[in-house]
Amino acid sequence: MNKVILVTGANSGIGLALCERLLSQDTEGLQLCLACRNMRRAQAARSALLASHPAAQVALLQLDTSSISSVMAAAQEVKLRYNRLDYLYLNAGIMPNPQFDVKAFFKGLFSSRVVSMFATGEGILTQKDGITPDGLQEVFATNLFGHFLLIRELEPVLCHASQTSQLIWTSSSNAHRSAFNLEDIQHQRGTQPYSSSKYASDLLSLALNTHYNKQGLFSSVICPGFVMTNLTYGILPSFPAFLWTVVMPIFWLIRMFTNTFTLTPYNGAEALFWLFKQKPESLDPQAKYHSLTSGLGNNYTQPRKMDIDLETSEALHEKLLQMESEVRKTLKEKQKKSRHALASS
């Protein structure tokens, strides 16, 4: 029986590299669904995958995780297409309007924390968040809440007593407890919404295991390492071109001394691909699975304990459930008004 895999944010970067690696291992035994916001780019990604793997089954799904109506519509479409989902890769993510602190960068460049600075972005990156049409913080909605809502909507195809399914989150080494506040889960009052959202996904994964393992659904978290993707290059507008020329050779040099500089999407997808081949029951729900690349270019995966606790994860889960309830109520009211408007026209 074919395995059904849905990947959000699959049209570029780590998401696309994962799809390529999955099809390289098993072209005909998979049903792959690329869930993307931009359908033109999604079509280009599908064409590229089919050019390499003509026999592959690659479907497209329009999904914008920042939009509640888009998540609901996409989930409905998935349930119409498939009676089960074996893997759900929660990979879509944004880091909008990054602000690069050049002074802090140069200070860190010649200090003992240079590797940590590059690997995590801590101390050199802040972001200016936006608001979605639904009234949510954009980073929170895209990186976390949209995915949470998608999982909730897809329970009928994810939860089966007779088989296991896996949720696999793309987190980050930039996921810091210090950026997250349980009283401000949308990070409305801070300047590190990306870090907050990624730490929240680490917490949520733990809570999802508590609530879903008995129903055959397991959740894991990965860190792709430091990868050059569109998200990374999005920092470029605030990063002078001459600095980039200086920094790139340093990145390759640093990789001789640290394994977290995966650099390419293919390498960054290592842990995502590794988890595909594991029995979910054997995985540690409190570990983050890191994609690592040795100085000689060999890829491997290593689990590292996350800085999370069950109490905070449960509290976050409860807050997300409350938010979901409010969102559904608002959605029903909008649909009701819409029907009345149609009836009176």
Side-chain angles (χ1 to χ4, degrees), residues 150-178:
L150 184 66
I151 294 164
R152 294 280 291 156
E153 282 292 299
L154 292 179
E155 280 181 13
V157 290
L158 284 168
C159 299
H160 293 285
S162 60
Q163 63 176 62
T164 59
S165 292
Q166 279 183 265
L167 306 171
I168 301 170
W169 297 81
T170 300
S171 182
S172 171
S173 55
N174 191 247
H176 301 300
R177 183 189 279 267
S178 59

PDB file of all heavy atoms in Angstrom, residues 150-178:
ATOM      1  N   LEU A 150      -4.564  22.708  11.131  1.00  0.00           N
ATOM      2  CA  LEU A 150      -4.518  21.679  10.088  1.00  0.00           C
ATOM      3  C   LEU A 150      -4.532  20.278  10.714  1.00  0.00           C
ATOM      4  O   LEU A 150      -5.276  19.394  10.262  1.00  0.00           O
ATOM      5  CB  LEU A 150      -3.257  21.866   9.236  1.00  0.00           C
ATOM      6  CG  LEU A 150      -3.085  20.933   8.041  1.00  0.00           C
ATOM      7  CD1 LEU A 150      -4.154  21.184   6.980  1.00  0.00           C
ATOM      8  CD2 LEU A 150      -1.689  21.107   7.424  1.00  0.00           C
ATOM      9  N   ILE A 151      -3.737  20.087  11.753  1.00  0.00           N
ATOM     10  CA  ILE A 151      -3.702  18.795  12.451  1.00  0.00           C
ATOM     11  C   ILE A 151      -5.083  18.457  13.011  1.00  0.00           C
ATOM     12  O   ILE A 151      -5.571  17.332  12.861  1.00  0.00           O
ATOM     13  CB  ILE A 151      -2.665  18.821  13.597  1.00  0.00           C
ATOM     14  CG1 ILE A 151      -1.252  18.957  13.034  1.00  0.00           C
ATOM     15  CG2 ILE A 151      -2.769  17.553  14.459  1.00  0.00           C
ATOM     16  CD1 ILE A 151      -0.223  19.386  14.075  1.00  0.00           C
ATOM     17  N   ARG A 152      -5.697  19.428  13.653  1.00  0.00           N
ATOM     18  CA  ARG A 152      -7.021  19.227  14.252  1.00  0.00           C
ATOM     19  C   ARG A 152      -8.055  18.838  13.184  1.00  0.00           C
ATOM     20  O   ARG A 152      -8.872  17.936  13.393  1.00  0.00           O
ATOM     21  CB  ARG A 152      -7.462  20.496  14.977  1.00  0.00           C
ATOM     22  CG  ARG A 152      -6.614  20.835  16.192  1.00  0.00           C
ATOM     23  CD  ARG A 152      -6.991  20.022  17.408  1.00  0.00           C
ATOM     24  NE  ARG A 152      -8.313  20.415  17.906  1.00  0.00           N
ATOM     25  CZ  ARG A 152      -9.110  19.639  18.636  1.00  0.00           C
ATOM     26  NH1 ARG A 152      -8.722  18.410  18.940  1.00  0.00           N
ATOM     27  NH2 ARG A 152     -10.279  20.073  19.060  1.00  0.00           N
ATOM     28  N   GLU A 153      -7.997  19.505  12.046  1.00  0.00           N
ATOM     29  CA  GLU A 153      -8.935  19.227  10.961  1.00  0.00           C
ATOM     30  C   GLU A 153      -8.677  17.869  10.302  1.00  0.00           C
ATOM     31  O   GLU A 153      -9.597  17.248   9.774  1.00  0.00           O
ATOM     32  CB  GLU A 153      -8.852  20.337   9.899  1.00  0.00           C
ATOM     33  CG  GLU A 153      -9.566  21.614  10.261  1.00  0.00           C
ATOM     34  CD  GLU A 153     -11.085  21.435  10.291  1.00  0.00           C
ATOM     35  OE1 GLU A 153     -11.665  21.090   9.250  1.00  0.00           O
ATOM     36  OE2 GLU A 153     -11.679  21.616  11.362  1.00  0.00           O
ATOM     37  N   LEU A 154      -7.435  17.438  10.343  1.00  0.00           N
ATOM     38  CA  LEU A 154      -7.068  16.185   9.660  1.00  0.00           C
ATOM     39  C   LEU A 154      -7.065  14.962  10.585  1.00  0.00           C
ATOM     40  O   LEU A 154      -6.637  13.880  10.181  1.00  0.00           O
ATOM     41  CB  LEU A 154      -5.690  16.328   9.003  1.00  0.00           C
ATOM     42  CG  LEU A 154      -5.602  17.294   7.822  1.00  0.00           C
ATOM     43  CD1 LEU A 154      -4.186  17.359   7.271  1.00  0.00           C
ATOM     44  CD2 LEU A 154      -6.577  16.900   6.703  1.00  0.00           C
ATOM     45  N   GLU A 155      -7.560  15.126  11.790  1.00  0.00           N
ATOM     46  CA  GLU A 155      -7.616  13.988  12.730  1.00  0.00           C
ATOM     47  C   GLU A 155      -8.229  12.724  12.123  1.00  0.00           C
ATOM     48  O   GLU A 155      -7.704  11.623  12.331  1.00  0.00           O
ATOM     49  CB  GLU A 155      -8.378  14.382  13.996  1.00  0.00           C
ATOM     50  CG  GLU A 155      -7.552  15.184  14.981  1.00  0.00           C
ATOM     51  CD  GLU A 155      -8.330  15.530  16.243  1.00  0.00           C
ATOM     52  OE1 GLU A 155      -9.413  14.946  16.468  1.00  0.00           O
ATOM     53  OE2 GLU A 155      -7.867  16.393  17.009  1.00  0.00           O
ATOM     54  N   PRO A 156      -9.331  12.831  11.340  1.00  0.00           N
ATOM     55  CA  PRO A 156      -9.936  11.608  10.780  1.00  0.00           C
ATOM     56  C   PRO A 156      -9.006  10.801   9.872  1.00  0.00           C
ATOM     57  O   PRO A 156      -9.134   9.581   9.783  1.00  0.00           O
ATOM     58  CB  PRO A 156     -11.138  12.143   9.973  1.00  0.00           C
ATOM     59  CG  PRO A 156     -11.454  13.458  10.601  1.00  0.00           C
ATOM     60  CD  PRO A 156     -10.133  14.033  11.013  1.00  0.00           C
ATOM     61  N   VAL A 157      -8.047  11.471   9.200  1.00  0.00           N
ATOM     62  CA  VAL A 157      -7.131  10.734   8.310  1.00  0.00           C
ATOM     63  C   VAL A 157      -5.766  10.471   8.956  1.00  0.00           C
ATOM     64  O   VAL A 157      -4.955   9.709   8.429  1.00  0.00           O
ATOM     65  CB  VAL A 157      -6.939  11.456   6.947  1.00  0.00           C
ATOM     66  CG1 VAL A 157      -8.217  11.383   6.131  1.00  0.00           C
ATOM     67  CG2 VAL A 157      -6.480  12.897   7.127  1.00  0.00           C
ATOM     68  N   LEU A 158      -5.519  11.108  10.108  1.00  0.00           N
ATOM     69  CA  LEU A 158      -4.247  10.916  10.811  1.00  0.00           C
ATOM     70  C   LEU A 158      -4.330   9.872  11.922  1.00  0.00           C
ATOM     71  O   LEU A 158      -3.350   9.202  12.218  1.00  0.00           O
ATOM     72  CB  LEU A 158      -3.777  12.245  11.427  1.00  0.00           C
ATOM     73  CG  LEU A 158      -3.179  13.287  10.485  1.00  0.00           C
ATOM     74  CD1 LEU A 158      -3.055  14.637  11.192  1.00  0.00           C
ATOM     75  CD2 LEU A 158      -1.821  12.849   9.954  1.00  0.00           C
ATOM     76  N   CYS A 159      -5.486   9.769  12.546  1.00  0.00           N
ATOM     77  CA  CYS A 159      -5.637   8.890  13.716  1.00  0.00           C
ATOM     78  C   CYS A 159      -6.340   7.583  13.361  1.00  0.00           C
ATOM     79  O   CYS A 159      -7.542   7.582  13.062  1.00  0.00           O
ATOM     80  CB  CYS A 159      -6.419   9.620  14.818  1.00  0.00           C
ATOM     81  SG  CYS A 159      -5.607  11.116  15.396  1.00  0.00           S
ATOM     82  N   HIS A 160      -5.577   6.499  13.354  1.00  0.00           N
ATOM     83  CA  HIS A 160      -6.126   5.169  13.091  1.00  0.00           C
ATOM     84  C   HIS A 160      -5.525   4.184  14.085  1.00  0.00           C
ATOM     85  O   HIS A 160      -4.304   4.118  14.223  1.00  0.00           O
ATOM     86  CB  HIS A 160      -5.806   4.714  11.661  1.00  0.00           C
ATOM     87  CG  HIS A 160      -6.497   5.516  10.601  1.00  0.00           C
ATOM     88  ND1 HIS A 160      -7.834   5.383  10.315  1.00  0.00           N
ATOM     89  CD2 HIS A 160      -6.031   6.482   9.770  1.00  0.00           C
ATOM     90  CE1 HIS A 160      -8.156   6.220   9.340  1.00  0.00           C
ATOM     91  NE2 HIS A 160      -7.089   6.904   8.998  1.00  0.00           N
ATOM     92  N   ALA A 161      -6.371   3.438  14.743  1.00  0.00           N
ATOM     93  CA  ALA A 161      -5.894   2.475  15.748  1.00  0.00           C
ATOM     94  C   ALA A 161      -5.020   1.385  15.138  1.00  0.00           C
ATOM     95  O   ALA A 161      -4.119   0.854  15.786  1.00  0.00           O
ATOM     96  CB  ALA A 161      -7.086   1.855  16.470  1.00  0.00           C
ATOM     97  N   SER A 162      -5.267   1.061  13.868  1.00  0.00           N
ATOM     98  CA  SER A 162      -4.574  -0.058  13.226  1.00  0.00           C
ATOM     99  C   SER A 162      -3.211   0.301  12.637  1.00  0.00           C
ATOM    100  O   SER A 162      -2.466  -0.567  12.193  1.00  0.00           O
ATOM    101  CB  SER A 162      -5.460  -0.631  12.115  1.00  0.00           C
ATOM    102  OG  SER A 162      -5.737   0.379  11.156  1.00  0.00           O
ATOM    103  N   GLN A 163      -2.859   1.578  12.608  1.00  0.00           N
ATOM    104  CA  GLN A 163      -1.586   1.985  12.016  1.00  0.00           C
ATOM    105  C   GLN A 163      -1.081   3.267  12.680  1.00  0.00           C
ATOM    106  O   GLN A 163      -1.824   3.947  13.366  1.00  0.00           O
ATOM    107  CB  GLN A 163      -1.744   2.230  10.514  1.00  0.00           C
ATOM    108  CG  GLN A 163      -2.707   3.392  10.202  1.00  0.00           C
ATOM    109  CD  GLN A 163      -2.782   3.697   8.721  1.00  0.00           C
ATOM    110  OE1 GLN A 163      -3.193   2.843   7.955  1.00  0.00           O
ATOM    111  NE2 GLN A 163      -2.401   4.899   8.339  1.00  0.00           N
ATOM    112  N   THR A 164       0.186   3.566  12.455  1.00  0.00           N
ATOM    113  CA  THR A 164       0.745   4.800  13.009  1.00  0.00           C
ATOM    114  C   THR A 164       0.891   5.859  11.923  1.00  0.00           C
ATOM    115  O   THR A 164       1.104   5.533  10.752  1.00  0.00           O
ATOM    116  CB  THR A 164       2.132   4.557  13.642  1.00  0.00           C
ATOM    117  OG1 THR A 164       3.012   4.041  12.634  1.00  0.00           O
ATOM    118  CG2 THR A 164       2.041   3.595  14.811  1.00  0.00           C
ATOM    119  N   SER A 165       0.757   7.115  12.332  1.00  0.00           N
ATOM    120  CA  SER A 165       1.022   8.261  11.461  1.00  0.00           C
ATOM    121  C   SER A 165       1.988   9.183  12.189  1.00  0.00           C
ATOM    122  O   SER A 165       2.063   9.175  13.424  1.00  0.00           O
ATOM    123  CB  SER A 165      -0.270   9.007  11.128  1.00  0.00           C
ATOM    124  OG  SER A 165      -1.114   8.219  10.316  1.00  0.00           O
ATOM    125  N   GLN A 166       2.719   9.990  11.402  1.00  0.00           N
ATOM    126  CA  GLN A 166       3.724  10.869  11.998  1.00  0.00           C
ATOM    127  C   GLN A 166       3.512  12.333  11.632  1.00  0.00           C
ATOM    128  O   GLN A 166       3.222  12.658  10.462  1.00  0.00           O
ATOM    129  CB  GLN A 166       5.132  10.466  11.537  1.00  0.00           C
ATOM    130  CG  GLN A 166       5.708   9.289  12.300  1.00  0.00           C
ATOM    131  CD  GLN A 166       7.120   8.982  11.850  1.00  0.00           C
ATOM    132  OE1 GLN A 166       7.334   8.131  10.995  1.00  0.00           O
ATOM    133  NE2 GLN A 166       8.096   9.676  12.424  1.00  0.00           N
ATOM    134  N   LEU A 167       3.636  13.187  12.640  1.00  0.00           N
ATOM    135  CA  LEU A 167       3.737  14.631  12.450  1.00  0.00           C
ATOM    136  C   LEU A 167       5.209  14.969  12.612  1.00  0.00           C
ATOM    137  O   LEU A 167       5.830  14.556  13.596  1.00  0.00           O
ATOM    138  CB  LEU A 167       2.931  15.391  13.506  1.00  0.00           C
ATOM    139  CG  LEU A 167       1.451  15.040  13.670  1.00  0.00           C
ATOM    140  CD1 LEU A 167       0.880  15.738  14.902  1.00  0.00           C
ATOM    141  CD2 LEU A 167       0.667  15.451  12.425  1.00  0.00           C
ATOM    142  N   ILE A 168       5.777  15.710  11.671  1.00  0.00           N
ATOM    143  CA  ILE A 168       7.198  16.066  11.769  1.00  0.00           C
ATOM    144  C   ILE A 168       7.347  17.566  11.541  1.00  0.00           C
ATOM    145  O   ILE A 168       7.078  18.069  10.455  1.00  0.00           O
ATOM    146  CB  ILE A 168       8.042  15.254  10.760  1.00  0.00           C
ATOM    147  CG1 ILE A 168       7.873  13.749  11.027  1.00  0.00           C
ATOM    148  CG2 ILE A 168       9.508  15.658  10.852  1.00  0.00           C
ATOM    149  CD1 ILE A 168       8.462  12.840   9.976  1.00  0.00           C
ATOM    150  N   TRP A 169       7.748  18.268  12.597  1.00  0.00           N
ATOM    151  CA  TRP A 169       7.868  19.725  12.582  1.00  0.00           C
ATOM    152  C   TRP A 169       9.285  20.150  12.201  1.00  0.00           C
ATOM    153  O   TRP A 169      10.254  19.626  12.736  1.00  0.00           O
ATOM    154  CB  TRP A 169       7.581  20.300  13.964  1.00  0.00           C
ATOM    155  CG  TRP A 169       6.207  20.080  14.491  1.00  0.00           C
ATOM    156  CD1 TRP A 169       5.713  18.956  15.101  1.00  0.00           C
ATOM    157  CD2 TRP A 169       5.126  21.024  14.480  1.00  0.00           C
ATOM    158  NE1 TRP A 169       4.401  19.153  15.475  1.00  0.00           N
ATOM    159  CE2 TRP A 169       4.016  20.417  15.109  1.00  0.00           C
ATOM    160  CE3 TRP A 169       4.993  22.343  14.011  1.00  0.00           C
ATOM    161  CZ2 TRP A 169       2.793  21.061  15.272  1.00  0.00           C
ATOM    162  CZ3 TRP A 169       3.782  22.995  14.178  1.00  0.00           C
ATOM    163  CH2 TRP A 169       2.693  22.359  14.793  1.00  0.00           C
ATOM    164  N   THR A 170       9.399  21.136  11.313  1.00  0.00           N
ATOM    165  CA  THR A 170      10.693  21.768  11.066  1.00  0.00           C
ATOM    166  C   THR A 170      10.837  22.911  12.066  1.00  0.00           C
ATOM    167  O   THR A 170      10.183  23.945  11.952  1.00  0.00           O
ATOM    168  CB  THR A 170      10.802  22.307   9.631  1.00  0.00           C
ATOM    169  OG1 THR A 170      10.646  21.226   8.710  1.00  0.00           O
ATOM    170  CG2 THR A 170      12.153  22.965   9.402  1.00  0.00           C
ATOM    171  N   SER A 171      11.674  22.686  13.069  1.00  0.00           N
ATOM    172  CA  SER A 171      11.919  23.719  14.079  1.00  0.00           C
ATOM    173  C   SER A 171      13.210  24.444  13.714  1.00  0.00           C
ATOM    174  O   SER A 171      13.551  24.583  12.535  1.00  0.00           O
ATOM    175  CB  SER A 171      11.973  23.091  15.475  1.00  0.00           C
ATOM    176  OG  SER A 171      12.172  24.083  16.464  1.00  0.00           O
ATOM    177  N   SER A 172      13.942  24.886  14.709  1.00  0.00           N
ATOM    178  CA  SER A 172      15.140  25.679  14.451  1.00  0.00           C
ATOM    179  C   SER A 172      16.032  25.694  15.678  1.00  0.00           C
ATOM    180  O   SER A 172      15.573  25.503  16.806  1.00  0.00           O
ATOM    181  CB  SER A 172      14.721  27.114  14.099  1.00  0.00           C
ATOM    182  OG  SER A 172      15.824  27.985  14.039  1.00  0.00           O
ATOM    183  N   SER A 173      17.312  25.954  15.457  1.00  0.00           N
ATOM    184  CA  SER A 173      18.218  26.174  16.591  1.00  0.00           C
ATOM    185  C   SER A 173      17.954  27.565  17.175  1.00  0.00           C
ATOM    186  O   SER A 173      18.466  27.919  18.236  1.00  0.00           O
ATOM    187  CB  SER A 173      19.674  26.054  16.138  1.00  0.00           C
ATOM    188  OG  SER A 173      19.902  26.943  15.053  1.00  0.00           O
ATOM    189  N   ASN A 174      17.146  28.350  16.467  1.00  0.00           N
ATOM    190  CA  ASN A 174      16.756  29.693  16.919  1.00  0.00           C
ATOM    191  C   ASN A 174      15.558  29.644  17.867  1.00  0.00           C
ATOM    192  O   ASN A 174      15.023  30.680  18.263  1.00  0.00           O
ATOM    193  CB  ASN A 174      16.438  30.571  15.691  1.00  0.00           C
ATOM    194  CG  ASN A 174      16.289  32.038  16.028  1.00  0.00           C
ATOM    195  OD1 ASN A 174      15.210  32.603  15.926  1.00  0.00           O
ATOM    196  ND2 ASN A 174      17.371  32.662  16.441  1.00  0.00           N
ATOM    197  N   ALA A 175      15.115  28.427  18.237  1.00  0.00           N
ATOM    198  CA  ALA A 175      13.980  28.276  19.162  1.00  0.00           C
ATOM    199  C   ALA A 175      14.472  28.446  20.597  1.00  0.00           C
ATOM    200  O   ALA A 175      15.036  27.524  21.180  1.00  0.00           O
ATOM    201  CB  ALA A 175      13.345  26.898  18.982  1.00  0.00           C
ATOM    202  N   HIS A 176      14.263  29.640  21.153  1.00  0.00           N
ATOM    203  CA  HIS A 176      14.779  29.935  22.493  1.00  0.00           C
ATOM    204  C   HIS A 176      13.648  30.129  23.495  1.00  0.00           C
ATOM    205  O   HIS A 176      12.696  30.860  23.229  1.00  0.00           O
ATOM    206  CB  HIS A 176      15.633  31.202  22.467  1.00  0.00           C
ATOM    207  CG  HIS A 176      16.802  31.127  21.537  1.00  0.00           C
ATOM    208  ND1 HIS A 176      17.798  30.184  21.676  1.00  0.00           N
ATOM    209  CD2 HIS A 176      17.138  31.873  20.446  1.00  0.00           C
ATOM    210  CE1 HIS A 176      18.698  30.351  20.711  1.00  0.00           C
ATOM    211  NE2 HIS A 176      18.311  31.364  19.955  1.00  0.00           N
ATOM    212  N   ARG A 177      13.793  29.500  24.654  1.00  0.00           N
ATOM    213  CA  ARG A 177      12.820  29.662  25.734  1.00  0.00           C
ATOM    214  C   ARG A 177      12.673  31.146  26.110  1.00  0.00           C
ATOM    215  O   ARG A 177      11.581  31.622  26.410  1.00  0.00           O
ATOM    216  CB  ARG A 177      13.258  28.856  26.958  1.00  0.00           C
ATOM    217  CG  ARG A 177      12.265  28.913  28.122  1.00  0.00           C
ATOM    218  CD  ARG A 177      12.851  28.295  29.379  1.00  0.00           C
ATOM    219  NE  ARG A 177      12.775  26.846  29.391  1.00  0.00           N
ATOM    220  CZ  ARG A 177      11.778  26.142  29.938  1.00  0.00           C
ATOM    221  NH1 ARG A 177      10.757  26.773  30.512  1.00  0.00           N
ATOM    222  NH2 ARG A 177      11.806  24.831  29.930  1.00  0.00           N
ATOM    223  N   SER A 178      13.767  31.890  26.054  1.00  0.00           N
ATOM    224  CA  SER A 178      13.760  33.304  26.449  1.00  0.00           C
ATOM    225  C   SER A 178      12.882  34.167  25.540  1.00  0.00           C
ATOM    226  O   SER A 178      12.433  35.234  25.943  1.00  0.00           O
ATOM    227  CB  SER A 178      15.189  33.857  26.454  1.00  0.00           C
ATOM    228  OG  SER A 178      15.767  33.724  25.160  1.00  0.00           O
TER     229      SER A 178
END
